[in-house]
Amino acid sequence: MDPTDIDAVLVAGATGGTGREVLRRVGRRVDTVRALTRSAGATADLRAAGADEVAVDDLLDPSDLAAAVEGVDAVISAVGSTSSTVRSGPPFVDGAGNRALVEAAVDAGVDALVMESAIVVGPEPSSPLASAFDAFIGPLQEAKGEAEAALRDAPIRHTVLRPGILTNGRRTGLVTTAEPGARLWGTVSRADVAWLMAAAPTTGGAADRTFEVVSTPRFPDRGVDVNWTLPR
């Protein structure tokens, strides 16, 4: 997609840390930013954070996702569960929720979908430290893997970002994006991940690809060269 082709974006998981950062990144670059939340009480807060419109629906029990995705050019999914959710068991929004969102986006003819996943998701080799992290939230990682697979199988342009441990703080711009299996490990700020998610739909080199993402440490010798371009 050309950077000027995006007029409307849906941000799912908009109340979370990464989702709010995405709202900030796209709010001044596209005509309409629609936030998706399961809580009607979050509407005013999301509008204050940069959303022009707010759609209320629960991805684990959707009533009208068709309306949420109607008329948007791209969907950016930053939905995710906290580690404590593992104890309650499936379904997880990371898996079933994302799959529902993919299906709705395809049915609506959305051009692109960007999904936030996590490092170590998927069958590719990983670093020992990253694998240790995976041991704590294995069920969530499995759910994310199922959602990734559904997205790759769907007839829609996609980008999957697998960040390391997420931190708060400002965007650094010092990020390594690598192919799956690069054995990255470390941390990355939500602001850095959100910037990449906002740019993915309009970055040619990000189409139909999956990236591991960390900033500390950087692993410059393992990164791929992609000319990330934000909508305008």
Side-chain angles (χ1 to χ4, degrees):
M1 298 175 68
D2 186 270
T4 61
D5 285 345
I6 292 189
D7 295 317
V9 171
L10 173 71
V11 181
T15 57
T18 305
R20 287 179 179 276
E21 290 290 344
V22 173
L23 290 179
R24 295 187 183 98
R25 301 297 165 185
V26 299
R28 298 179 180 178
R29 292 182 171 273
V30 300
D31 292 337
T32 303
V33 180
R34 184 180 301 156
L36 176 62
T37 178
R38 65 179 180 177
S39 172
T43 298
D45 194 28
L46 288 172
R47 288 188 178 275
D52 301 297
E53 302 172 0
V54 178
V56 180
D57 207 349
D58 186 344
L59 287 174
L60 287 178
D61 186 22
S63 59
D64 194 7
L65 282 183
V69 299
E70 182 181 5
V72 302
D73 303 300
V75 172
I76 299 177
S77 176
V79 302
S81 305
T82 62
S83 57
S84 62
T85 308
V86 174
R87 294 193 296 271
S88 65
F92 301 116
V93 71
D94 315 63
N98 265 325
R99 295 198 305 272
L101 189 60
V102 169
E103 182 177 348
V106 170
D107 289 345
V110 174
D111 293 321
L113 194 150
V114 182
M115 183 183 295
E116 180 185 26
S117 185
I119 208 162
V120 190
V121 170
E124 297 84 8
S126 59
S127 73
L129 285 175
S131 296
F133 168 71
D134 181 48
F136 291 98
I137 55 170
L140 295 182
Q141 301 287 69
E142 182 178 353
K144 292 176 189 293
E146 292 169 354
E148 284 190 17
L151 179 55
R152 292 190 190 95
D153 288 342
I156 187 172
R157 168 183 165 142
H158 67 269
T159 304
V160 176
L161 296 174
R162 295 174 174 173
I165 298 173
L166 292 166
T167 64
N168 297 318
R170 296 181 178 180
R171 175 177 174 252
T172 67
L174 304 175
V175 176
T176 298
T177 54
E179 297 284 358
R183 299 178 185 271
L184 300 189
W185 58 272
T187 64
V188 61
S189 74
R190 290 177 173 84
D192 276 315
V193 175
W195 192 95
L196 294 174
M197 295 182 77
T202 49
T203 297
D208 301 327
R209 295 180 71 180
T210 298
F211 300 98
E212 296 180 359
V213 183
V214 298
S215 60
T216 305
R218 290 189 60 196
F219 303 101
D221 56 325
R222 304 184 196 180
V224 293
D225 187 16
V226 174
N227 182 25
W228 297 93
T229 306
L230 288 168
R232 61 175 184 267

